[in-house]
Amino acid sequence: MVYNNLLVEIDQRVAWVTINRPKALNALNPDTINELSAAIGSLEQHPSVKVIVLTGSGDKAFVAGADLALMKTFSPVQARSFALQTGSLFRQIENSPRVVIAAINGYALGGGCELAMACDLRLAAEQAQMGQPEINLGIIPGWGGTQRLPRLVGVSRAKEMMFTGEMVSAQRALQIGLVDHVFAQDELFSHTQKLAQTIASKPQIAIRLIKEAVQNGMEMDKEKAIRYEADLFGLCFTTEDQREGMSAFFEKRSAVWKDC
Ligand code: CAA
């Protein structure tokens, strides 16, 4: 598939999707959101892709938010419809059978921070800066920021970030749980690839069930979530990988996963 705003590369079971609008610091417009949705949908079907990494082109920005040049002229109906379109992409990422990692190579602001938060894991370069600066534009975060940020960093830290609109450094983001790792700029991609390959080498049905258990379980009450986990745990015992994993343990050898 040909994309106008994305670069897609596959490197040893890891698909790298680079948002490529460097002149606008990779700001997201509806076309880019559509392309991201199509690219992720097609990579999920790709037989050799196990993990998807999202990043931004250039060394300045991951994504500097929604495209303000466009948004400036939006009617309320257009703003709502863009928020719903992006909300559906973010749910697609959260519900994807593939693990999706954000490699945050620079500014992740507004919709960029919200995109990163919809991913399973967030790895940042040490010069990256993150934040929800919408307050400075007279609006609120509209792509899930008011919901995902407090779940990641806690209610009052999230409110402070959104009330002030101030950016946080990568180190501060690490401290508050907004990112999982921080690396030197020139090492971000190699560390991301390494982590992605580790995940890609695991049995993918179990990876997918872990993702489903966490994602859906977090939205249930604890009692229901524990029962749901038990159901998914039971489902593991229908797979060849469960038999292979347990046989390999007793035969003192490495398991050979078949993803079935
Ligand atoms: N949309 C469109 N274009 C953008 C953009 C955005 N979100 N962010 C930056 N750009 C453009 C700038 O207009 C500029 O273009 P020109 O060269 O044509 O003037 C170019 O990218 C470079 O930007 P700056 O000159 O501003 O670069 P800087 O280094 O001085 O500052 C920055 C970098 C701090 C990221 C600054 O660009 C900035 O604050 N950007 C806006 C960030 C923001 O407010 N994001 C939230 C958007 S609203 C949103 O996302 C709501 C939501 O919940 C969905």
Side-chain angles (χ1 to χ4, degrees):
M1 229 168 135
V2 178
Y3 301 105
N4 294 319
N5 303 311
L6 303 180
L7 304 171
V8 178
E9 260 179 88
I10 297 171
D11 180 3
Q12 301 175 72
R13 301 192 285 186
V14 180
W16 283 76
V17 178
T18 304
I19 297 158
N20 188 29
R21 301 188 72 223
K23 284 187 186 143
L25 300 187
N26 305 318
L28 297 171
N29 59 14
D31 287 347
T32 310
I33 298 292
N34 277 337
E35 289 191 3
L36 276 169
S37 178
I40 290 167
S42 113
L43 290 167
E44 283 168 353
Q45 305 300 321
H46 195 296
S48 65
V49 170
K50 307 295 180 201
V51 175
I52 299 171
V53 177
L54 303 185
T55 192
S57 72
D59 53 10
K60 204 166 164 186
F62 171 70
V63 168
D67 189 329
L68 287 170
L70 195 75
M71 214 177 229
K72 189 171 174 280
T73 65
F74 271 177
S75 68
V77 170
Q78 286 171 317
R80 180 175 187 270
S81 134
F82 193 21
L84 291 176
Q85 180 201 5
T86 311
S88 140
L89 167 70
F90 291 3
R91 291 302 289 173
Q92 180 187 355
I93 291 171
E94 288 178 333
N95 292 326
S96 171
R98 301 288 167 237
V99 171
V100 183
I101 301 176
I104 305 166
N105 55 314
Y107 291 115
L109 301 174
C113 187
E114 290 166 310
L115 171 64
M117 289 192 289
C119 294
D120 297 301
L121 303 170
R122 283 155 293 284
L123 277 51
E126 60 193 0
Q127 97 290 358
Q129 296 197 61
M130 303 179 71
Q132 298 288 159
E134 288 86 349
I135 193 72
N136 299 324
L137 299 164
I139 58 173
I140 68 167
W143 294 353
T146 62
Q147 302 309 306
R148 290 190 181 91
L149 189 57
R151 284 168 168 82
L152 275 175
V153 308
V155 171
S156 54
R157 283 189 186 126
K159 282 183 183 165
E160 184 179 330
M161 281 178 68
M162 292 185 281
F163 288 158
T164 64
E166 281 172 14
M167 295 185 224
V168 296
S169 66
Q171 279 305 335
R172 175 69 180 153
L174 180 66
Q175 203 182 35
I176 63 179
L178 183 51
V179 300
D180 309 300
H181 297 277
V182 175
F183 300 109
Q185 168 81 356
D186 58 353
E187 291 176 7
L188 172 66
F189 291 165
S190 59
H191 282 289
T192 305
Q193 178 71 15
K194 196 166 157 221
L195 176 61
Q197 272 176 311
T198 300
I199 296 168
S201 73
K202 305 292 179 190
Q204 291 300 307
I205 295 178
I207 290 281
R208 180 178 180 167
L209 294 179
I210 290 170
K211 181 165 168 171
E212 274 184 42
V214 175
Q215 197 64 47
N216 299 331
M218 295 285 284
E219 289 163 20
M220 295 174 188
D221 71 55
K222 194 164 148 205
E223 192 61 32
K224 284 202 181 96
I226 297 286
R227 288 189 66 87
Y228 175 60
E229 182 195 66
D231 291 343
L232 297 183
F233 181 68
L235 195 57
C236 294
F237 288 75
T238 66
T239 67
E240 276 195 36
D241 283 344
Q242 174 269 325
R243 289 186 285 280
E244 167 63 8
M246 294 190 186
S247 300
F249 175 78
F250 285 109
E251 290 162 19
K252 301 191 187 302
R253 60 174 174 83
S254 301
V256 180
W257 307 119
K258 293 201 180 126
D259 294 342
C260 63

